[in-house]
Every structure is written in structure tokens, then in C-alpha cells.
Amino acid sequence: MAAELVRGQNHPLSQVRLEIRVAAGQPVVAAATLGDEHGRIHGVEWVAHPGTPTLPGLEVSKQAAADHRLAVDLGAMPEAVHRVSVLLALPLGGDGPARFGAVAAPFVAVTGLDGTEVASYTITGLDAESAVVALELYRRQGAWKVRAVGQGYAGGLAELLTDQGLPQAAHLAAGINEAVAHGLARSVAAPPPRTPDGDRTRQTATPALGPEGSGPTAQGAPGAVAPQSTSPYGTQGTPGAVAPQSGFPGSAASADPAATPPATPTTGGPIDYSHPRRQTGAPPSPAPTAPPAPPGQPARPVAGDATGWSMEERLYNQVWGMFEDLARTMAAYRSAVDFADSRMEKELDQALSDPRSRIGGQGDAAREAAQAKHAQLVDQARAALDRDLAQLAAESEVVEPALPPAFAGWDNPVWHGYRAPMEIPMAVRLGDLHLPESPELRVPMLVRLPLERGLWIDSGGAESLDGSFTDSPELRRLALDTAVAHAARLLAVYPAGEFTVHVIDPAGSAAQALVPLVHTGVLAAPPAVGAAGVTDVLTRLTQRVDLVQMAVRGGAADSLPPGLDTAEQLLIVNDFPHGFDDRAVTQLRYLADEGPSVGVHLMMVADREDAAGYGPLLDPLWRSLMRLTPLPDDHLADPWVGHAWTYEPSLVPPGSQVLRQVLTEVATARTKLR
């Protein structure tokens, strides 16, 4: 898991070939110095800068840019080098800002060559400084570590290099500024300044509740610097450390944004209005900018207004930001109401504690005053909540139509132009989440891919949120429809041929619900029926898990049997435990525990009460699966702020043919591969 560093904190490095990514929001100069065991620079030849971008084991950018990638090979460093300092400076001259206090807080991330983030640091607290030592890689007792420094210098590069002991600091700083001036016209353009939207401007989303994932980033040859791109989509991949380890809800929280007054713009460049603790995950890249709002009005929301290396990642982070904002603003409202209630009770207790005050109008006056104060406090809290909900609703209205198929609801027009993707997306939408105070405001429930837990579609009878009951046959039908919709979505978001679906239906009771999957030919084989069919499918998938595990553990992944399907596998199990003997139950538990790590996933459509005869034997199975319901249900607990989120599945609108159209396209794309 990536470390989010604060100033002075260090973190061990397990790799020697690294990439240091910088995102500053404005063109900056990136340089690096090599130091001895005392941190001293022996000469100008120990400084990598735009005029001399390459040193042994180190390469920096040749020009100023809003985003940089520095290549570092610690194994190629000379023995005398014990410290590598990464420097950032604002270009002199031109029309750009002259101090870091007038630009967004720079973000620096140390990643592996595969894009996996090792550590990150957001440099906050800068004001008049025009140069800063962002972080340093240092060798201690033969092992390398990274430390967040964040030391700024108002005197620019000359003062910084002088502080590091370089005698020719002023001369070298002038040379660097001259080299930058020659290439500044070719620098990567920074995103336009944003208009602040109150206290809700988002930099990135932090994990909150449920499932999983990571994301690869394509890189060039080891030690090479990837080319800069003026497009926010560029050639950059998805850094894997943005991800939360689990889906909705629950994560570390930043302070309530309502408690901090909005920042006031100053001259000199765009201002970073986001809370520093919101700046986690991927470094920012140019994002769409909303048109200016009328004076006194919050900024108009825009889709993709978050950080990330691609539009997909920015939208993913923006959805997570919406989830966090809704959780936080609702927690603030509930806390305010609780405070008003407790205050009213305390005031009433104090006023009526004296028996003499209960006689006459004194007690009535105290009661009315306490109730009036209570109403005033609740009204103030509700007004703040309504303001935040209105902003979130406006943001949702622009974000929903912009979502890619993996994130979009089935009613989104993006599905009508669906084509099989070439890459696996970051996440997949499994439904919506909302809170009782704002049932109309839905936040997509995005779960990272590949899945780290199986899914359990609960077909058991229960009282719905509106107090009504659904009979068992109808609930089972809804559960099957939900399972088919989820399976179809997973098939659609994976590249053709990289996701395989198997079905076990011992009694054949799911035949009608499975028609879209069967008739379009997207299943690996017809649904398995009867005890023999159950045994055959479970045995084959169990053997696959064993083979892949042995190959991975033995470092011989290329020696798998040539006929083995290497695609991700999904097993849909209906009517459990009917048709399952003790051995089949054991195999199912094995697949639930060991399957996700090697690409075998379960989707159980079952009522837990039907398996009550097994007693506690199956408790680990149910706990290992993510429970989803075919009807709205408030079973998803949020340990972060204590909310019970209502989950609602993402289903195909009645009468729509979009599911069949998408599955037909999936089958067609598979045919083209053969």
C-alpha cells in the first residue's frame, strides 16, 4: 500500500529503479542533486537540470512543464552518492507566478516502473518561496529510503543550491534559468485556473467502503523518461495507488469542510482551494474546467473535475469525492441535530430542576425558549445541508452522463454505442448508494477490478424499507435478474475473451432469467444442472485454481497447460445448497477463499436460511462474499462516520433491449478473435 508522507516522514524503498512523478498545476523546473553522506554537492557535475538532464542513474526533464517524470536507478549511482534531492523551481521571467503560494500545492509521487505508487507527498505550506526541495532519496546502512522534505527558498535556485554547499550556485542557477527560458515555449501547458466552488473543490477521492483493486501504468524502457504530453489523456496509464482497497463505505476522513471558510483568491495565479488532506492518490493532471459562475454563486460543476492520469480515473476519483462529500455533510447535519437535541434537554432539565419553576408561566417560558433555540439550530443545520445537497445534485447531473460504460447505469445512453473495450477499466458499477435524508441523490457504487471478493445476491425474504414484503418466488426472480445484470456488466467491461462466465443451476429454476446469457452465446457452456453438472463445474474450477496457484508460487506461470483458459472466471451459483453434497460445499468454500487471487470469482444467488442446516460451517462462506440485495436495503455500514447506506442494484429499465444488445456485441467481439 502506498505511503502518504508528511513533512519529515520517511519510507523504505524496496526497488532501485524508480520513477518520480511531479504535478504542479503550473510549469515548473524539475532538477535533482547528488550529495555525499553529509548531503554536500561536490560540483556542478553533481546536478541534473534542463541544461544537463542526464547523470549516472538519473535523468530529468529538459524543460519546464506542469507534469514531470524523473527516472532514477539507485543501483547505478556512484558509491560516493548517498543522497538524491529532487528540486522544483518556478521559471524566472515570463508571465507565470513568481511564488509557490500562488499555485496549487505541488504533488510528488515515487513509483515503480510498472506505475505502482510507493510513496507520495503533497507540498503544502509554501508562500513566498520560488524553489523547494521536494523530497530526497537517501542511503542508510546500505538501504535506500525516501523522505518528504518540503523545504522552500524565497531566493530561488541560487539560495537552494548555496544551502546545499555548491560554490558555483549563483552561476549554475543562472544557467538553468537560461536553459529553461529557451525551452519554455515548448513546455506542457497547465490547466486553466478553476473558480472555487465554496469549500468543496476536490483534488482526489480517498477510499471509503467495500472492495478493491489496482491499476497498471504502461511504462517505457527501464531508466527512460516517458515523453510529456499536452493531452490530459496522453500516454499515461493509471497509477495503481489511487485505489482504495475496498469499495463503499468507510475510510479515513478529513476535517469537515463546512468548518473551514472558503479561501479567498489572490493575485499571481490559480489558488488551490482544496483541503490538503483531500490531496491523496494520483497526482493531478489537466482536468476540464467549468465556465465562470455568476458573482456570489458557487462554481458550476464539471465532469472530470478531479485528479488522475486519464478521464476514467478523474471520473472515478470524482465519484469517490461525491461519496465523501455526501457522507461528511450528512455527518455534520446529524451531529448538529444531536447537539440541538442534547442542548434542549439540558436547558429543560436546568429550568425545571427547581420545583418552584414548574408553577406558573416560568416553566412554560423556559420550555418555549429551549424549543425555539432547538428549532433555530436545526434550521441552520438543515440550510447548510440543503446547500451542500444542491451542489452535489448539480454535480451528479453533469457527472452521470459523462460516465464510461463500466461506471454508468443501464439507463445511460452510453450503452447504445457500446463497443468491446481494449483494456480492463479501473472499476465497475454494482449499484447506487443513498442516505435517508436525501433519497433522490444517488452516488454510484464503484468496485475496483479485478474483484477481490465474490458476490452474494441475497434472495432471502425480508421486510423492505417501505415496510412491504415481497413473496419468496418474486424475490428469487428479482435476485436472478440482478445476478444476470451484474454478470452482463462484467462481461461487457472486460476486453473480448478475457472474462468467462459459468452457471450452476441444479434444478433448472433459473432458465427464464438466464435467457439473455444463454441465447447470446456468452456463457462458456450451457448451465450445469443436476448433481453431476455441479460436480463437473466445481471440479474443473478447483483444479484451475490449484494449477495457477502452483505455477505462481513456483515462478513458472508460463508452464501452464496450453489449453487452460487464462481469462477471469465467474461462477454463478443458483439455488444453493440444493444439489450440493458435502464435497461440493467444501469445493465452493475453497473457491470463495482461494479463487479471487487467481482470477476465479463466485456469484451466489441464495437465501442463507436455506443453508441453515449446515450450521456455522458456512458462516465463513457468507462472510467472504459481498452481500448485495435485489431490492433497496440499508445493510451497508460505514465505519467512517457511522452511516447505514441504502444500496440499490443497477438494473436494466423495464422493456429495454440494451442488455441483449450489449451481450450480442460481446459475443460478436469474441467471434472476431477466433
Side-chain angles (χ1 to χ4, degrees), residues 140-170:
R140 182 71 50 82
Q141 296 179 348
W144 285 91
K145 295 183 179 181
V146 57
R147 178 188 289 122
V149 180
Q151 176 63 52
Y153 296 85
L157 277 174
E159 182 182 354
L160 186 158
L161 294 171
T162 300
D163 189 52
Q164 292 201 353
L166 183 65
Q168 312 94 324

PDB file of all heavy atoms in Angstrom, residues 140-170:
ATOM      1  N   ARG A 140      20.988   4.626   3.789  1.00  0.00           N
ATOM      2  CA  ARG A 140      21.312   4.453   5.200  1.00  0.00           C
ATOM      3  C   ARG A 140      21.579   2.986   5.475  1.00  0.00           C
ATOM      4  O   ARG A 140      20.696   2.153   5.278  1.00  0.00           O
ATOM      5  CB  ARG A 140      20.144   4.959   6.062  1.00  0.00           C
ATOM      6  CG  ARG A 140      20.363   4.883   7.569  1.00  0.00           C
ATOM      7  CD  ARG A 140      21.377   5.909   8.045  1.00  0.00           C
ATOM      8  NE  ARG A 140      21.128   7.258   7.572  1.00  0.00           N
ATOM      9  CZ  ARG A 140      20.248   8.102   8.146  1.00  0.00           C
ATOM     10  NH1 ARG A 140      19.569   7.723   9.196  1.00  0.00           N
ATOM     11  NH2 ARG A 140      20.100   9.314   7.663  1.00  0.00           N
ATOM     12  N   GLN A 141      22.817   2.674   5.863  1.00  0.00           N
ATOM     13  CA  GLN A 141      23.232   1.305   6.157  1.00  0.00           C
ATOM     14  C   GLN A 141      22.947   0.367   4.975  1.00  0.00           C
ATOM     15  O   GLN A 141      22.446  -0.740   5.137  1.00  0.00           O
ATOM     16  CB  GLN A 141      22.537   0.802   7.426  1.00  0.00           C
ATOM     17  CG  GLN A 141      22.935   1.583   8.677  1.00  0.00           C
ATOM     18  CD  GLN A 141      22.228   1.104   9.913  1.00  0.00           C
ATOM     19  OE1 GLN A 141      21.271   0.329   9.828  1.00  0.00           O
ATOM     20  NE2 GLN A 141      22.686   1.553  11.067  1.00  0.00           N
ATOM     21  N   GLY A 142      23.242   0.868   3.782  1.00  0.00           N
ATOM     22  CA  GLY A 142      23.105   0.066   2.575  1.00  0.00           C
ATOM     23  C   GLY A 142      21.712   0.005   1.994  1.00  0.00           C
ATOM     24  O   GLY A 142      21.525  -0.561   0.914  1.00  0.00           O
ATOM     25  N   ALA A 143      20.704   0.564   2.678  1.00  0.00           N
ATOM     26  CA  ALA A 143      19.321   0.535   2.185  1.00  0.00           C
ATOM     27  C   ALA A 143      18.883   1.954   1.844  1.00  0.00           C
ATOM     28  O   ALA A 143      19.257   2.925   2.519  1.00  0.00           O
ATOM     29  CB  ALA A 143      18.395  -0.077   3.230  1.00  0.00           C
ATOM     30  N   TRP A 144      18.078   2.072   0.791  1.00  0.00           N
ATOM     31  CA  TRP A 144      17.590   3.376   0.340  1.00  0.00           C
ATOM     32  C   TRP A 144      16.217   3.660   0.938  1.00  0.00           C
ATOM     33  O   TRP A 144      15.382   2.778   1.071  1.00  0.00           O
ATOM     34  CB  TRP A 144      17.514   3.419  -1.180  1.00  0.00           C
ATOM     35  CG  TRP A 144      18.846   3.545  -1.854  1.00  0.00           C
ATOM     36  CD1 TRP A 144      19.640   2.531  -2.276  1.00  0.00           C
ATOM     37  CD2 TRP A 144      19.529   4.762  -2.175  1.00  0.00           C
ATOM     38  NE1 TRP A 144      20.800   3.017  -2.843  1.00  0.00           N
ATOM     39  CE2 TRP A 144      20.748   4.398  -2.798  1.00  0.00           C
ATOM     40  CE3 TRP A 144      19.249   6.106  -1.995  1.00  0.00           C
ATOM     41  CZ2 TRP A 144      21.659   5.339  -3.246  1.00  0.00           C
ATOM     42  CZ3 TRP A 144      20.163   7.054  -2.435  1.00  0.00           C
ATOM     43  CH2 TRP A 144      21.349   6.664  -3.054  1.00  0.00           C
ATOM     44  N   LYS A 145      16.009   4.920   1.275  1.00  0.00           N
ATOM     45  CA  LYS A 145      14.719   5.382   1.779  1.00  0.00           C
ATOM     46  C   LYS A 145      14.354   6.692   1.086  1.00  0.00           C
ATOM     47  O   LYS A 145      15.212   7.353   0.483  1.00  0.00           O
ATOM     48  CB  LYS A 145      14.761   5.605   3.296  1.00  0.00           C
ATOM     49  CG  LYS A 145      14.995   4.347   4.118  1.00  0.00           C
ATOM     50  CD  LYS A 145      14.936   4.657   5.612  1.00  0.00           C
ATOM     51  CE  LYS A 145      15.134   3.396   6.445  1.00  0.00           C
ATOM     52  NZ  LYS A 145      15.045   3.687   7.908  1.00  0.00           N
ATOM     53  N   VAL A 146      13.084   7.071   1.190  1.00  0.00           N
ATOM     54  CA  VAL A 146      12.633   8.355   0.671  1.00  0.00           C
ATOM     55  C   VAL A 146      12.127   9.182   1.848  1.00  0.00           C
ATOM     56  O   VAL A 146      11.463   8.655   2.746  1.00  0.00           O
ATOM     57  CB  VAL A 146      11.531   8.184  -0.401  1.00  0.00           C
ATOM     58  CG1 VAL A 146      10.345   7.416   0.142  1.00  0.00           C
ATOM     59  CG2 VAL A 146      11.063   9.551  -0.910  1.00  0.00           C
ATOM     60  N   ARG A 147      12.446  10.468   1.848  1.00  0.00           N
ATOM     61  CA  ARG A 147      11.990  11.352   2.912  1.00  0.00           C
ATOM     62  C   ARG A 147      11.290  12.556   2.287  1.00  0.00           C
ATOM     63  O   ARG A 147      11.774  13.138   1.303  1.00  0.00           O
ATOM     64  CB  ARG A 147      13.154  11.827   3.769  1.00  0.00           C
ATOM     65  CG  ARG A 147      12.732  12.813   4.878  1.00  0.00           C
ATOM     66  CD  ARG A 147      13.918  13.429   5.599  1.00  0.00           C
ATOM     67  NE  ARG A 147      14.591  12.458   6.434  1.00  0.00           N
ATOM     68  CZ  ARG A 147      15.863  12.135   6.329  1.00  0.00           C
ATOM     69  NH1 ARG A 147      16.598  12.697   5.373  1.00  0.00           N
ATOM     70  NH2 ARG A 147      16.416  11.253   7.135  1.00  0.00           N
ATOM     71  N   ALA A 148      10.150  12.944   2.848  1.00  0.00           N
ATOM     72  CA  ALA A 148       9.454  14.160   2.431  1.00  0.00           C
ATOM     73  C   ALA A 148      10.147  15.353   3.077  1.00  0.00           C
ATOM     74  O   ALA A 148      10.286  15.408   4.304  1.00  0.00           O
ATOM     75  CB  ALA A 148       7.989  14.095   2.841  1.00  0.00           C
ATOM     76  N   VAL A 149      10.600  16.314   2.264  1.00  0.00           N
ATOM     77  CA  VAL A 149      11.357  17.447   2.789  1.00  0.00           C
ATOM     78  C   VAL A 149      10.492  18.712   2.799  1.00  0.00           C
ATOM     79  O   VAL A 149      10.203  19.277   3.842  1.00  0.00           O
ATOM     80  CB  VAL A 149      12.645  17.661   1.972  1.00  0.00           C
ATOM     81  CG1 VAL A 149      13.434  18.856   2.518  1.00  0.00           C
ATOM     82  CG2 VAL A 149      13.505  16.407   2.009  1.00  0.00           C
ATOM     83  N   GLY A 150      10.124  19.213   1.610  1.00  0.00           N
ATOM     84  CA  GLY A 150       9.262  20.394   1.538  1.00  0.00           C
ATOM     85  C   GLY A 150       9.931  21.678   2.004  1.00  0.00           C
ATOM     86  O   GLY A 150       9.243  22.599   2.442  1.00  0.00           O
ATOM     87  N   GLN A 151      11.258  21.768   1.908  1.00  0.00           N
ATOM     88  CA  GLN A 151      11.988  22.969   2.332  1.00  0.00           C
ATOM     89  C   GLN A 151      12.013  23.980   1.192  1.00  0.00           C
ATOM     90  O   GLN A 151      12.565  23.717   0.124  1.00  0.00           O
ATOM     91  CB  GLN A 151      13.408  22.601   2.743  1.00  0.00           C
ATOM     92  CG  GLN A 151      14.284  23.787   3.118  1.00  0.00           C
ATOM     93  CD  GLN A 151      13.764  24.533   4.330  1.00  0.00           C
ATOM     94  OE1 GLN A 151      13.504  23.921   5.358  1.00  0.00           O
ATOM     95  NE2 GLN A 151      13.584  25.829   4.200  1.00  0.00           N
ATOM     96  N   GLY A 152      11.402  25.153   1.410  1.00  0.00           N
ATOM     97  CA  GLY A 152      11.320  26.165   0.372  1.00  0.00           C
ATOM     98  C   GLY A 152      12.348  27.264   0.538  1.00  0.00           C
ATOM     99  O   GLY A 152      12.893  27.487   1.640  1.00  0.00           O
ATOM    100  N   TYR A 153      12.634  27.999  -0.553  1.00  0.00           N
ATOM    101  CA  TYR A 153      13.626  29.076  -0.559  1.00  0.00           C
ATOM    102  C   TYR A 153      13.064  30.252  -1.342  1.00  0.00           C
ATOM    103  O   TYR A 153      12.744  30.133  -2.539  1.00  0.00           O
ATOM    104  CB  TYR A 153      14.932  28.604  -1.192  1.00  0.00           C
ATOM    105  CG  TYR A 153      15.620  27.499  -0.420  1.00  0.00           C
ATOM    106  CD1 TYR A 153      15.262  26.171  -0.628  1.00  0.00           C
ATOM    107  CD2 TYR A 153      16.601  27.793   0.523  1.00  0.00           C
ATOM    108  CE1 TYR A 153      15.874  25.153   0.079  1.00  0.00           C
ATOM    109  CE2 TYR A 153      17.227  26.773   1.238  1.00  0.00           C
ATOM    110  CZ  TYR A 153      16.860  25.453   1.013  1.00  0.00           C
ATOM    111  OH  TYR A 153      17.458  24.449   1.718  1.00  0.00           O
ATOM    112  N   ALA A 154      12.939  31.391  -0.654  1.00  0.00           N
ATOM    113  CA  ALA A 154      12.436  32.587  -1.326  1.00  0.00           C
ATOM    114  C   ALA A 154      13.445  33.121  -2.329  1.00  0.00           C
ATOM    115  O   ALA A 154      13.081  33.820  -3.277  1.00  0.00           O
ATOM    116  CB  ALA A 154      12.092  33.662  -0.285  1.00  0.00           C
ATOM    117  N   GLY A 155      14.718  32.799  -2.134  1.00  0.00           N
ATOM    118  CA  GLY A 155      15.750  33.273  -3.058  1.00  0.00           C
ATOM    119  C   GLY A 155      15.917  32.422  -4.288  1.00  0.00           C
ATOM    120  O   GLY A 155      16.865  32.635  -5.062  1.00  0.00           O
ATOM    121  N   GLY A 156      15.053  31.449  -4.496  1.00  0.00           N
ATOM    122  CA  GLY A 156      15.075  30.644  -5.700  1.00  0.00           C
ATOM    123  C   GLY A 156      16.175  29.602  -5.708  1.00  0.00           C
ATOM    124  O   GLY A 156      16.727  29.204  -4.673  1.00  0.00           O
ATOM    125  N   LEU A 157      16.520  29.146  -6.909  1.00  0.00           N
ATOM    126  CA  LEU A 157      17.506  28.085  -7.059  1.00  0.00           C
ATOM    127  C   LEU A 157      18.873  28.475  -6.513  1.00  0.00           C
ATOM    128  O   LEU A 157      19.591  27.640  -5.959  1.00  0.00           O
ATOM    129  CB  LEU A 157      17.630  27.703  -8.540  1.00  0.00           C
ATOM    130  CG  LEU A 157      16.605  26.710  -9.086  1.00  0.00           C
ATOM    131  CD1 LEU A 157      16.777  26.556 -10.591  1.00  0.00           C
ATOM    132  CD2 LEU A 157      16.761  25.358  -8.392  1.00  0.00           C
ATOM    133  N   ALA A 158      19.245  29.716  -6.672  1.00  0.00           N
ATOM    134  CA  ALA A 158      20.569  30.142  -6.208  1.00  0.00           C
ATOM    135  C   ALA A 158      20.691  29.935  -4.701  1.00  0.00           C
ATOM    136  O   ALA A 158      21.696  29.397  -4.210  1.00  0.00           O
ATOM    137  CB  ALA A 158      20.808  31.603  -6.580  1.00  0.00           C
ATOM    138  N   GLU A 159      19.683  30.346  -3.947  1.00  0.00           N
ATOM    139  CA  GLU A 159      19.727  30.173  -2.491  1.00  0.00           C
ATOM    140  C   GLU A 159      19.668  28.690  -2.123  1.00  0.00           C
ATOM    141  O   GLU A 159      20.358  28.240  -1.197  1.00  0.00           O
ATOM    142  CB  GLU A 159      18.562  30.921  -1.839  1.00  0.00           C
ATOM    143  CG  GLU A 159      18.559  30.821  -0.317  1.00  0.00           C
ATOM    144  CD  GLU A 159      17.372  31.532   0.297  1.00  0.00           C
ATOM    145  OE1 GLU A 159      16.620  32.199  -0.448  1.00  0.00           O
ATOM    146  OE2 GLU A 159      17.176  31.413   1.527  1.00  0.00           O
ATOM    147  N   LEU A 160      18.857  27.921  -2.849  1.00  0.00           N
ATOM    148  CA  LEU A 160      18.730  26.494  -2.557  1.00  0.00           C
ATOM    149  C   LEU A 160      20.054  25.776  -2.761  1.00  0.00           C
ATOM    150  O   LEU A 160      20.507  25.007  -1.897  1.00  0.00           O
ATOM    151  CB  LEU A 160      17.635  25.891  -3.442  1.00  0.00           C
ATOM    152  CG  LEU A 160      17.224  24.439  -3.211  1.00  0.00           C
ATOM    153  CD1 LEU A 160      15.813  24.195  -3.766  1.00  0.00           C
ATOM    154  CD2 LEU A 160      18.170  23.442  -3.884  1.00  0.00           C
ATOM    155  N   LEU A 161      20.700  26.025  -3.914  1.00  0.00           N
ATOM    156  CA  LEU A 161      21.952  25.337  -4.214  1.00  0.00           C
ATOM    157  C   LEU A 161      23.072  25.800  -3.283  1.00  0.00           C
ATOM    158  O   LEU A 161      23.951  25.016  -2.910  1.00  0.00           O
ATOM    159  CB  LEU A 161      22.333  25.568  -5.672  1.00  0.00           C
ATOM    160  CG  LEU A 161      21.374  24.946  -6.702  1.00  0.00           C
ATOM    161  CD1 LEU A 161      21.714  25.426  -8.113  1.00  0.00           C
ATOM    162  CD2 LEU A 161      21.423  23.430  -6.629  1.00  0.00           C
ATOM    163  N   THR A 162      23.041  27.055  -2.886  1.00  0.00           N
ATOM    164  CA  THR A 162      24.023  27.539  -1.923  1.00  0.00           C
ATOM    165  C   THR A 162      23.870  26.823  -0.591  1.00  0.00           C
ATOM    166  O   THR A 162      24.857  26.441   0.051  1.00  0.00           O
ATOM    167  CB  THR A 162      23.877  29.054  -1.728  1.00  0.00           C
ATOM    168  OG1 THR A 162      24.086  29.718  -2.977  1.00  0.00           O
ATOM    169  CG2 THR A 162      24.872  29.575  -0.706  1.00  0.00           C
ATOM    170  N   ASP A 163      22.618  26.617  -0.180  1.00  0.00           N
ATOM    171  CA  ASP A 163      22.361  25.935   1.080  1.00  0.00           C
ATOM    172  C   ASP A 163      22.852  24.494   1.048  1.00  0.00           C
ATOM    173  O   ASP A 163      23.166  23.922   2.097  1.00  0.00           O
ATOM    174  CB  ASP A 163      20.859  25.985   1.385  1.00  0.00           C
ATOM    175  CG  ASP A 163      20.542  25.492   2.781  1.00  0.00           C
ATOM    176  OD1 ASP A 163      21.151  25.977   3.745  1.00  0.00           O
ATOM    177  OD2 ASP A 163      19.682  24.592   2.917  1.00  0.00           O
ATOM    178  N   GLN A 164      22.924  23.906  -0.152  1.00  0.00           N
ATOM    179  CA  GLN A 164      23.407  22.539  -0.270  1.00  0.00           C
ATOM    180  C   GLN A 164      24.926  22.472  -0.456  1.00  0.00           C
ATOM    181  O   GLN A 164      25.473  21.399  -0.711  1.00  0.00           O
ATOM    182  CB  GLN A 164      22.700  21.823  -1.425  1.00  0.00           C
ATOM    183  CG  GLN A 164      21.214  21.590  -1.159  1.00  0.00           C
ATOM    184  CD  GLN A 164      20.626  20.486  -2.016  1.00  0.00           C
ATOM    185  OE1 GLN A 164      21.275  19.961  -2.908  1.00  0.00           O
ATOM    186  NE2 GLN A 164      19.391  20.119  -1.736  1.00  0.00           N
ATOM    187  N   GLY A 165      25.593  23.604  -0.340  1.00  0.00           N
ATOM    188  CA  GLY A 165      27.048  23.616  -0.329  1.00  0.00           C
ATOM    189  C   GLY A 165      27.705  23.722  -1.682  1.00  0.00           C
ATOM    190  O   GLY A 165      28.910  23.425  -1.808  1.00  0.00           O
ATOM    191  N   LEU A 166      26.996  24.166  -2.707  1.00  0.00           N
ATOM    192  CA  LEU A 166      27.594  24.284  -4.035  1.00  0.00           C
ATOM    193  C   LEU A 166      28.235  25.666  -4.178  1.00  0.00           C
ATOM    194  O   LEU A 166      27.537  26.692  -4.120  1.00  0.00           O
ATOM    195  CB  LEU A 166      26.519  24.085  -5.109  1.00  0.00           C
ATOM    196  CG  LEU A 166      27.007  24.102  -6.556  1.00  0.00           C
ATOM    197  CD1 LEU A 166      27.927  22.914  -6.833  1.00  0.00           C
ATOM    198  CD2 LEU A 166      25.817  24.070  -7.523  1.00  0.00           C
ATOM    199  N   PRO A 167      29.540  25.748  -4.411  1.00  0.00           N
ATOM    200  CA  PRO A 167      30.195  27.065  -4.501  1.00  0.00           C
ATOM    201  C   PRO A 167      29.704  27.889  -5.689  1.00  0.00           C
ATOM    202  O   PRO A 167      29.563  29.103  -5.592  1.00  0.00           O
ATOM    203  CB  PRO A 167      31.688  26.719  -4.639  1.00  0.00           C
ATOM    204  CG  PRO A 167      31.815  25.312  -4.129  1.00  0.00           C
ATOM    205  CD  PRO A 167      30.516  24.641  -4.455  1.00  0.00           C
ATOM    206  N   GLN A 168      29.458  27.237  -6.823  1.00  0.00           N
ATOM    207  CA  GLN A 168      29.062  27.968  -8.033  1.00  0.00           C
ATOM    208  C   GLN A 168      27.537  28.061  -8.143  1.00  0.00           C
ATOM    209  O   GLN A 168      26.974  28.006  -9.232  1.00  0.00           O
ATOM    210  CB  GLN A 168      29.621  27.266  -9.274  1.00  0.00           C
ATOM    211  CG  GLN A 168      31.095  26.908  -9.180  1.00  0.00           C
ATOM    212  CD  GLN A 168      31.344  25.497  -8.686  1.00  0.00           C
ATOM    213  OE1 GLN A 168      30.610  25.003  -7.831  1.00  0.00           O
ATOM    214  NE2 GLN A 168      32.389  24.848  -9.214  1.00  0.00           N
ATOM    215  N   ALA A 169      26.835  28.186  -7.025  1.00  0.00           N
ATOM    216  CA  ALA A 169      25.373  28.111  -7.028  1.00  0.00           C
ATOM    217  C   ALA A 169      24.742  29.188  -7.901  1.00  0.00           C
ATOM    218  O   ALA A 169      23.856  28.912  -8.713  1.00  0.00           O
ATOM    219  CB  ALA A 169      24.849  28.208  -5.594  1.00  0.00           C
ATOM    220  N   ALA A 170      25.170  30.434  -7.738  1.00  0.00           N
ATOM    221  CA  ALA A 170      24.552  31.524  -8.495  1.00  0.00           C
ATOM    222  C   ALA A 170      24.771  31.347  -9.994  1.00  0.00           C
ATOM    223  O   ALA A 170      23.845  31.561 -10.802  1.00  0.00           O
ATOM    224  CB  ALA A 170      25.112  32.867  -8.024  1.00  0.00           C
TER     225      ALA A 170
END
